[in-house]
Amino acid sequence: MIEVIQEADQQLFLWLNSLHLPWLDPVMYRITNKYTWFPAYALIVVVLLIKYKWEGAKMIVLLVLIIIACDQLTSGFMKPFFERLRPCHNPGLTDQVHVVEGCGGKYGFASSHAANTFGFATGLWLLLRSWSRWFVWGFAWAGVVSYTRIYVGVHYPLDILIGAILGAAIAIIFYQLYRNFNRRLLNTSSVE
């Protein structure tokens, strides 16, 4: 059964990865590069601090913790544990994979990019549901960033799917902890 899933995942990857255009390669590389998004993250930090002050600072800490947890679970635990070669490192696929700007680490299951972006998008949506109509774009952004990992040849679709699910789940768990912490903090201060 696992072999059937892996074969289907590999075939889907090869099909999606083959849909490349020379002019699109630098665009996809820019989108997949984590440093591209630092100005957007800085803007979100500034908006949260200006609009929500102390509560905004707590929100920023929560978002940072979500990303750290997502990254550590995928890169620190899952990749070395499962040792699933990235498509660009798979000896049976190297001549079929379109790689844009290098291959990265040896293992790819699950995608840290997918976990981090979906964790961030989910966390932001949970925190700012009053602005929820705008955060559909956060999930669209996470989806595009995740897809670029297939386009540039470094992740299978299943790496992306599992990373996205884990990122969203971690954000939900951390958000619930955050809410419980805020309730306890509020109850403690009202008793005093």
Side-chain angles (χ1 to χ4, degrees), residues 45-66:
V45 165
V46 169
V47 168
L48 288 175
L49 289 174
I50 290 171
K51 183 157 178 62
Y52 295 101
K53 313 235 178 327
W54 170 242
E55 192 61 34
K58 291 192 304 185
M59 291 176 184
I60 292 164
V61 169
L62 174 66
L63 292 169
V64 168
L65 289 174
I66 288 169

Side-chain angles (χ1 to χ4, degrees), residues 27-41 141:
V27 173
M28 292 301 230
Y29 180 71
R30 177 67 77 192
I31 292 170
T32 205
N33 188 325
K34 63 184 174 189
Y35 300 112
T36 298
W37 302 105
F38 280 9
Y41 299 145
W141 161 77

Side-chain angles (χ1 to χ4, degrees), residues 11-186:
Q11 292 308 310
L12 181 58
F13 164 79
L14 289 170
W15 179 70
L16 291 170
N17 181 254
S18 73
L19 303 174
H20 58 86
L21 301 165
W23 65 267
L24 196 52
D25 287 1
V27 173
M28 292 301 230
Y29 180 71
R30 177 67 77 192
I31 292 170
T32 205
N33 188 325
K34 63 184 174 189
Y35 300 112
T36 298
W37 302 105
F38 280 9
Y41 299 145
L43 179 62
I44 290 169
V45 165
V46 169
V47 168
L48 288 175
L49 289 174
I50 290 171
K51 183 157 178 62
Y52 295 101
K53 313 235 178 327
W54 170 242
E55 192 61 34
K58 291 192 304 185
M59 291 176 184
I60 292 164
V61 169
L62 174 66
L63 292 169
V64 168
L65 289 174
I66 288 169
I67 291 171
I68 289 170
C70 289
D71 197 61
Q72 288 303 302
L73 177 62
T74 53
S75 291
F77 173 71
M78 292 181 74
K79 288 177 184 177
F81 181 80
F82 290 106
E83 296 184 340
R84 183 179 190 202
L85 293 175
R86 291 179 185 266
C88 51
H89 285 305
N90 185 332
L93 296 180
T94 51
D95 59 336
Q96 301 172 63
V97 177
H98 175 72
V99 178
V100 180
E101 299 289 330
C103 191
K106 190 173 182 180
Y107 304 119
F109 183 79
S111 168
S112 300
H113 274 72
N116 294 345
T117 56
F118 274 94
F120 184 79
T122 303
L124 210 50
W125 176 74
L126 289 168
L127 287 167
L128 304 174
R129 278 189 257 189
S130 61
W131 298 6
S132 64
R133 68 178 186 275
W134 296 106
F135 289 105
V136 169
W137 295 108
F139 292 105
W141 161 77
V144 169
V145 169
S146 297
Y147 171 74
T148 65
R149 306 307 287 163
I150 297 168
Y151 184 95
V152 301
V154 298
H155 280 295
Y156 293 104
L158 196 55
D159 300 345
I160 301 298
L161 178 63
I162 299 302
I165 291 168
L166 287 172
I170 288 169
I172 291 166
I173 292 166
F174 274 60
Y175 176 73
Q176 291 304 323
L177 293 171
Y178 169 82
R179 285 184 55 195
N180 290 341
F181 173 76
N182 276 344
R183 275 194 209 117
R184 287 192 179 141
L185 194 62
L186 191 61

